Amino acid sequence: GGVGNTTLAQMVYNDERVSRYFQLKGWVDVSEGHFDVKAIARKIIMSFTRNPCDIEDMGNLQNMITAQVQDMKFFLVLDNVWNVQKEIWDALLSLLVGAQLGMILLTTRDETISKMIGTMPSYDLSFLTSEESWQLFKQMAFGFIDQHMDQQFEGFGRKIVGICGGVPFAL
């Protein structure tokens, strides 16, 4: 956590090439402890339509999602997936049939999830090196990267950077 999974997904989601290519885009935060198809289906509908959805019947959810994606190219981000079983994942994917093309970008901290659901190799974000961490810290704390600073500030700053362990969010 904190290495930039969601930030990278946001950059892809907001890229103009994605917006030009896909007719329909949606973003769903899946951070609950369990992967509930009904809840996620409602969130997908809300994300695609930008309207609230309180439908409880699975058949009606299926029909509404099918109507949204029918003959469309869609891009869907499922952010912060923690737990999923293969059969539940398959049930969720079955809701999206009828699309001309569908692309799902999933963020997770669990490599087993990305391997189980992925049709493409996962992209693993790593911690920053100590020098990358120091550059980011200087930029965020002092507003500059290349200027020299008082040695006392630098020593204190580098201690903070060491404590953050290369995690961009912490820096």
Side-chain angles (χ1 to χ4, degrees), residues 68-96:
Q68 288 295 310
V69 301
Q70 191 70 41
D71 299 322
M72 300 282 274
K73 294 179 187 174
F74 76 86
F75 181 76
L76 177 63
V77 174
L78 298 178
D79 187 33
N80 207 10
V81 176
W82 283 77
N83 182 8
V84 65
Q85 297 168 340
K86 182 71 170 136
E87 59 275 3
I88 297 173
W89 174 251
D90 291 340
L92 179 65
L93 288 181
S94 73
L95 298 176
L96 299 165

Side-chain angles (χ1 to χ4, degrees), residues 2-3 126-145 149 153-154 156-171:
V3 294
S126 59
F127 296 108
L128 298 175
T129 66
S130 59
E131 189 53 35
E132 290 167 335
S133 296
W134 174 238
Q135 294 301 320
L136 178 60
F137 179 80
K138 282 197 308 185
Q139 183 178 3
M140 301 310 295
F142 303 112
F144 58 82
I145 296 174
M149 67 177 66
F153 284 132
E154 183 171 342
F156 185 66
R158 286 196 182 266
K159 285 181 184 177
I160 293 171
V161 165
I163 292 168
C164 292
V167 177
F169 185 73
L171 290 161

Side-chain angles (χ1 to χ4, degrees), residues 102-128:
M103 177 75 67
I104 299 173
L105 187 149
L106 179 136
T107 69
T108 183
R109 297 179 191 183
D110 188 340
E111 190 176 351
T112 58
I113 290 174
S114 67
K115 284 182 179 178
M116 180 185 64
I117 3 191
T119 57
M120 298 176 65
S122 63
Y123 184 82
D124 296 319
L125 296 175
S126 59
F127 296 108
L128 298 175

Side-chain angles (χ1 to χ4, degrees), residues 7 21 29-30 42 48 55 96 98 113 115 123 127 144 150:
T7 301
Y21 188 77
D29 181 11
V30 187
R42 281 192 294 275
F48 283 165
I55 299 170
L96 299 165
I113 290 174
K115 284 182 179 178
Y123 184 82
F127 296 108
F144 58 82
D150 184 279

Side-chain angles (χ1 to χ4, degrees), residues 6-70:
T6 298
T7 301
L8 180 59
Q10 287 171 336
M11 291 174 70
V12 172
Y13 183 84
N14 292 321
D15 189 284
E16 69 179 59
R17 293 169 292 186
V18 170
S19 296
R20 277 195 314 257
Y21 188 77
F22 293 98
Q23 300 149 311
L24 186 63
K25 291 189 337 180
W27 184 288
V28 174
D29 181 11
V30 187
S31 58
E32 305 114 32
H34 63 287
F35 198 84
D36 177 35
V37 176
K38 275 188 186 179
I40 293 170
R42 281 192 294 275
K43 288 181 178 185
I44 290 171
I45 291 167
M46 288 188 287
S47 184
F48 283 165
T49 66
R50 309 287 187 248
N51 291 314
C53 176
D54 55 2
I55 299 170
E56 288 295 324
D57 178 66
M58 200 61 204
N60 289 340
L61 289 168
Q62 166 78 57
N63 293 339
M64 193 156 188
I65 289 176
T66 300
Q68 288 295 310
V69 301
Q70 191 70 41

